[in-house]
């Protein structure tokens, strides 16, 4: 901007002109970002303050508000279901996210082998990740049906008597994980892009040094992909902790709360039982939990994420 | 890795020697390579079947009579294809699915427009104009992207309830018109990749910021804006949580919520439910198909940047 002003013939008019330009830029800048400012003031800041306030009280929307101090948080601490929902959500997240990374990376590696019909493979693997939400939850509700479902029919063909999936306390969360893995094709595209971005000279140099294909994979492919893996890991942990639609539609938390995820529990408390105070406290707990795991992953990133062209201290 | 091996063994000057048919180790290598390829395609194909088969099952089930659903082994192609399942399901729901489609299309179109207009304006502000506090505000925006919506949605819901707008489309539309961090961030990246010399030239000609935004930056970033439009379409079309909370009158429901309702009401008629599931997915698949090249490219670009 400074160069542009000096280019102007009128810039000789001196500092008044310059400062009026700056003032106009300030006004223009805030006008352009005003939609976000409005969102920040009302839908983020004000809502967060109110949410915190609600979490210190009792309200059901119709009968006013009663301040109860930390009672909701104390109740949460002693609430067996809260801890159960935390365990369920953590189990789901910490199996699905790593398994998803391994599977999507695996598919990307296969597709990177100069295979024919790349477009066909890419579409077939990518398609399930495009169709998400209610439709998928309904479809998988039937696919996982123990009696006539596709999954158990397939297992029967190879001689395995499938479990009761969504109707079994042990197998309900694994059912959701399998369903989540079905969408692994979305991340596959990112890995494929990452793989194609690895400069060939790196491999050629390693080959000259006598590295076999396994060594090249471990010492070149994986390190060069760590920024993409890291990005996916963070986004997927945050996303998986907020799992709701499938749990609400397919099991509504059952059997015996085996699939009661944190957001589903929060939804039950708020929008089924109308205990908005307790629901808000649950929301803040979820926020803190997600923050803790996000910070942990971010911290760990320094030691394993490799940035090409980054000066490491 | 096979890529590299191929390079090493097939595109070298060694090949003429092999044609003389004397070097057996090269023949063995070649055989190994062919076996490797066969394995590769076998793994790829069986994986693809696993990924595609639930979708095939869905379409197949939607065309069966009720009685054939439980059949073991699975009947993939029903003897009499029941196209009428689609018509029946569409019209048995009260109101018919036409209403739900109209509602969803209205909300989705409004939100795409709102999101594109607001995100591009905000992204332009962050990318192009130097104003007081810009970098700090941008960091703040990035920080808020980590906030799960569960923390704020109860007060926001109470607010809409207090002013009597629950059970209208406004709570679903207005927030989208106020941008979201993710799209602003993505668009800002695209705007920043365009040289500021264009801005300077336009300003010398007396253009204001809005002219630079609408006449220069927007036309130059059409593909990126297209990508965001498609993502916004998919997100709004599939969104379940917000319509579930805000809409409760049957005539106001979106396809996602109506589909769920239909399934609970028609639990005995699985083919009809699957038919409506197929119908709910068609717009997403269609948009995906039409925009495939751009869509995938866009994800690739943003993925690399991430």
């Amino acid at each position: 901007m400074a160069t542009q002003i000096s280019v102007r013939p009128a810039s000789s008019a001196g500092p008044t002109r310059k400062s009026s330009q700056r003032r106009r830029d300030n006004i223009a800048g805030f006008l352009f970002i005003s939609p976000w400012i409005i969102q920040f003031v009302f839908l983020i800041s004000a809502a967060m303050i109110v949410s915190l306030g609600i979490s210190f009280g009792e309200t059901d929307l119709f009968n006013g508000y009663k301040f109860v101090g930390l009672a909701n948080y104390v109740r949460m601490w002693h609430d067996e279901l809260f801890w159960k929902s935390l365990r369920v959500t953590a189990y789901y997240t910490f199996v699905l996210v790593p398994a998803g990374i391994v599977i999507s990376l695996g598919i990307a590696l296969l597709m990177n082998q100069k295979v024919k019909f790349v477009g066909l493979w890419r579409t077939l693997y990518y398609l399930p990740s495009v169709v998400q939400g209610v439709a998928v939850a309904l479809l998988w509700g039937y696919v996982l049906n123990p009696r006539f479902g596709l999954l158990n029919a397939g297992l029967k063909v190879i001689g395995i008597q499938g479990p009761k999936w969504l109707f079994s306390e042990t197998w309900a969360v694994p059912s959701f994980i399998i369903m989540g893995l079905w969408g692994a094709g979305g991340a596959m595209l990112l890995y494929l892009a990452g793989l194609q971005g690895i400069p060939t000279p790196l491999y050629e140099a390693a080959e000259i040094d006598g590295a076999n294909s396994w060594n090249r994979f471990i010492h070149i492919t994986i390190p060069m992909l760590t920024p993409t893996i890291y990005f996916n890991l963070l986004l997927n942990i945050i996303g998986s902790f907020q799992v709701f639609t499938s749990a609400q539609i397919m099991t509504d938390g059952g059997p015996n709360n085996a699939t009661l995820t944190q957001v589903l529990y929060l939804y039950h408390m708020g929008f089924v039982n109308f205990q908005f105070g307790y629901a808000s406290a649950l929301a803040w707990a979820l926020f803190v939990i997600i923050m803790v795991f996000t910070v942990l992953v971010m911290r760990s990133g320094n030691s394993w994420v490799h940035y090409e062209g980054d000066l490491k201290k | 890795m096979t890529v590299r091996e191929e390079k090493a063994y097939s595109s070298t000057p060694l090949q003429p020697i092999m044609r003389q048919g004397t070097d057996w180790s090269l023949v063995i290598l070649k055989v190994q390579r062919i076996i490797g390829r066969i394995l590769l395609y076998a793994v790829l194909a069986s994986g693809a079947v696993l990924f595609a088969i639930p979708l095939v099952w869905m379409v197949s089930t939607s065309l069966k009579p009720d009685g054939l659903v439980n059949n073991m082994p699975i009947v993939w192609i029903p003897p009499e294809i029941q196209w009428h399942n689609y018509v029946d399901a569409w019209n048995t729901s009260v109101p018919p699915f036409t209403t739900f489609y109209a509602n969803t299309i209205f909300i989705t179109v409004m939100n795409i427009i709102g999101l594109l207009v607001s995100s591009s304006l905000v992204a332009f502000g962050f990318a192009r104009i130097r104003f007081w506090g810009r970098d700090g505000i941008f960091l703040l925006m990035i920080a808020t992207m980590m906030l799960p919506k569960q923390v704020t949605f109860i007060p926001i819901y109470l607010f809409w309830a207090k002013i009597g707008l629950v059970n209208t489309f406004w709570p679903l539309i207005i927030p989208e018109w106020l941008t979201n961090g993710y799209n602003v961030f993505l668009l800002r990246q695209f705007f920043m990749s365009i040289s500021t010399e264009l801005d300077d030239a336009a300003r010398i000609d007396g253009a204001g910021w809005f002219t630079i935004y609408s006449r220069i930056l927007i036309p130059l970033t059409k593909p990126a804006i297209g990508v965001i439009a498609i993502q916004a379409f998919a997100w709004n079309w599939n969104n379940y949580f917000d319509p579930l909370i805000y809409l409760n009158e049957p005539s106001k429901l979106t396809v996602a919520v109506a589909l769920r309702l239909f399934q609970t009401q028609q639990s005995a008629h699985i083919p009809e439910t699957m038919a409506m599931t197929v119908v709910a997915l068609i717009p997403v698949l269609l948009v995906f198909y039409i925009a495939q090249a751009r869509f995938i490219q866009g994800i690739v670009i943003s993925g690399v940047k991430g």
Side-chain angles (χ1 to χ4, degrees):
Chain A
M1 233 69 62
T3 45
Q4 171 249 315
I5 285 167
S6 66
V7 166
R8 280 188 173 193
S11 68
S12 56
T16 23
R17 172 139 202 147
K18 216 169 177 177
S19 72
S20 85
Q21 177 62 41
R22 181 158 297 163
R23 191 162 357 102
R24 268 189 285 146
D25 279 357
N26 277 340
I27 295 169
F30 276 95
L31 277 179
F32 270 97
I33 67 162
S34 58
W36 186 78
I37 299 281
I38 296 170
Q39 194 204 44
F40 179 72
V41 171
F42 292 101
L43 297 185
I44 297 174
S45 306
M48 276 178 83
I49 294 165
V50 174
S51 169
L52 201 60
I54 294 175
S55 78
F56 292 130
E58 271 172 16
T59 178
D60 67 354
L61 179 60
F62 310 107
N63 305 318
Y65 171 84
K66 199 176 107 216
F67 182 78
V68 295
L70 287 172
N72 285 324
Y73 292 92
V74 174
R75 174 180 164 191
M76 188 160 60
W77 186 259
H78 297 290
D79 183 355
E80 194 41 55
L81 276 182
F82 163 72
W83 293 107
K84 177 133 195 178
S85 73
L86 176 58
R87 282 198 302 274
V88 167
T89 316
Y91 174 23
Y92 173 77
T93 302
F94 292 115
V95 177
L96 174 65
V97 173
I101 288 176
V102 169
I103 288 186
S104 45
L105 185 56
I107 304 171
L109 284 170
L110 287 180
M111 290 226 280
N112 200 35
Q113 307 295 306
K114 281 192 178 166
V115 289
K116 293 211 167 67
F117 322 115
V118 177
L120 172 76
W121 302 122
R122 199 169 58 186
T123 307
L124 285 175
Y125 282 107
Y126 185 61
L127 215 53
S129 74
V130 181
V131 299
Q132 287 302 328
V134 178
V136 172
L138 292 188
L139 170 60
W140 276 83
Y142 297 125
V143 167
L144 290 162
N145 187 295
R147 221 157 30 85
F148 59 83
L150 183 62
L151 189 56
N152 276 1
L155 288 175
K156 209 171 179 182
V157 170
I158 54 170
I160 299 173
Q161 172 68 46
K164 290 197 178 315
W165 298 116
L166 296 170
F167 299 95
S168 144
E169 269 191 68
T170 326
W171 287 97
V173 175
S175 305
F176 284 114
I177 292 169
I178 293 171
M179 186 182 134
L181 290 177
W182 191 54
M188 168 207 75
L189 279 186
L190 295 181
Y191 293 120
L192 205 52
L195 282 171
Q196 282 162 3
I198 301 176
T200 328
L202 277 181
Y203 288 107
E204 287 164 357
E207 231 174 299
I208 292 167
D209 291 346
N212 62 25
S213 56
W214 174 251
N215 282 333
R216 293 197 298 268
F217 175 68
I218 290 297
H219 296 294
I220 298 175
T221 313
I222 292 292
M224 292 296 284
L225 281 181
T226 47
T228 318
I229 296 176
Y230 176 69
F231 175 74
N232 266 310
L233 188 64
L234 270 182
L235 282 190
N236 289 343
I237 286 180
I238 295 173
S240 299
F241 258 101
Q242 299 177 57
V243 57
F244 171 75
T245 306
S246 46
Q248 200 257 348
I249 289 178
M250 292 164 73
T251 54
D252 203 21
N256 190 21
N257 298 314
T259 57
L260 186 74
T261 68
Q262 287 190 282
V263 177
L264 184 60
Y265 189 43
L266 192 168
Y267 169 81
H268 281 169
M269 277 303 158
F271 295 89
V272 178
N273 299 343
F274 297 106
Q275 300 184 8
F276 285 111
Y278 191 48
S280 292
L282 289 172
W284 280 93
L286 175 69
F287 178 36
V288 171
I289 290 162
I290 292 178
M291 277 299 274
V292 167
F293 284 115
T294 311
V295 170
L296 281 180
V297 173
M298 282 180 152
R299 282 268 174 84
S300 82
N302 293 333
S303 64
W304 62 270
V305 181
H306 172 84
Y307 289 108
E308 194 70 6
D310 179 35
L311 296 172
K312 284 234 163 144
K313 279 159 211 160
Chain B
M1 281 145 295
T2 316
V3 179
R4 315 298 152 195
E5 277 158 25
E6 258 180 355
K7 241 195 182 134
Y9 302 124
S10 65
S11 66
T12 52
L14 285 172
Q15 261 179 345
I17 303 172
M18 216 179 80
R19 264 187 230 121
Q20 290 160 11
T22 47
D23 196 333
W24 281 102
S25 68
L26 275 181
V27 174
I28 290 168
L29 275 174
K30 184 130 198 184
V31 170
Q32 271 182 345
R33 206 175 71 82
I34 291 171
I35 293 173
R37 289 261 111 181
I38 292 171
L39 274 176
L40 174 70
Y41 280 105
V43 173
L44 257 186
S46 37
V49 167
L50 283 181
F51 270 71
I53 211 168
L55 293 173
V56 176
W57 185 85
M58 171 177 75
V59 176
S60 154
T61 305
S62 75
L63 296 169
K64 281 177 197 171
D66 282 349
L68 270 186
V69 174
N70 298 0
N71 211 64
M72 278 294 169
I74 293 170
V75 181
W76 288 99
I77 301 168
E80 278 169 45
I81 294 181
Q82 313 283 315
W83 293 108
H84 64 86
N85 283 345
Y86 282 78
V87 185
D88 292 352
W90 186 279
N91 293 321
T92 33
S93 94
V94 183
F97 266 81
T98 320
T99 311
F100 308 135
Y101 262 77
N103 293 342
T104 316
I105 290 170
F106 175 74
I107 294 171
T108 304
V109 169
M110 287 292 280
N111 284 354
I112 291 175
I113 296 171
L115 195 67
L116 290 186
V117 170
S118 60
S119 318
S120 61
L121 283 170
V122 175
F124 180 86
F126 280 127
R128 285 310 220 234
I129 306 175
R130 196 162 294 183
F131 57 91
W132 180 85
R134 180 186 69 173
D135 296 345
I137 297 173
F138 185 70
L139 264 181
L140 194 63
M141 192 195 78
I142 299 290
T144 61
M145 283 165 65
M146 279 191 277
L147 185 75
K149 69 184 273 186
Q150 288 81 15
V151 172
T152 51
F153 78 63
I154 289 170
I156 294 170
Y157 174 83
L158 295 178
F159 167 76
W160 293 117
K162 279 269 185 289
I163 62 170
L165 286 181
V166 163
N167 209 19
T168 68
F169 295 152
W170 299 113
L172 303 174
I173 292 172
I174 292 171
E176 294 289 301
W177 279 76
L178 299 175
T179 77
N180 71 54
Y182 171 77
N183 287 303
V184 171
F185 181 72
L186 208 63
L187 267 181
R188 176 179 169 271
Q189 299 290 94
F190 284 108
F191 285 161
M192 305 243 306
S193 67
I194 292 166
S195 162
T196 51
E197 280 170 23
L198 288 170
D199 300 19
D200 299 342
R203 298 198 76 187
I204 290 168
D205 291 344
W209 284 118
F210 191 77
T211 315
I212 296 172
Y213 159 80
S214 60
R215 295 285 174 79
I216 299 177
L217 272 270
I218 293 294
L220 282 175
T221 46
K222 265 186 193 152
I225 290 173
V227 168
I228 289 180
I230 291 160
Q231 290 180 342
F233 172 83
W235 190 84
N236 276 289
W237 191 268
N238 289 329
N239 187 11
Y240 175 68
F241 191 84
D242 300 83
L244 176 73
I245 285 175
Y246 287 113
L247 308 173
N248 35 47
E249 207 176 293
S251 66
K252 297 251 169 73
L253 298 185
T254 63
V255 172
V257 183
L259 187 60
R260 163 61 172 161
L261 197 66
F262 184 80
Q263 186 238 4
T264 41
Q265 288 167 351
Q266 306 281 324
S267 54
H269 304 292
I270 293 171
E272 275 84 350
T273 305
M274 283 294 102
M276 288 302 96
T277 309
V278 172
V279 169
L281 290 179
I282 283 174
V284 181
L285 294 180
L286 215 60
V287 167
F288 164 72
Y289 179 75
I290 293 168
Q292 193 190 22
R294 271 189 192 173
F295 193 36
I296 288 174
Q297 217 181 359
I299 291 173
V300 165
I301 292 164
S302 61
V304 172
K305 291 248 163 84

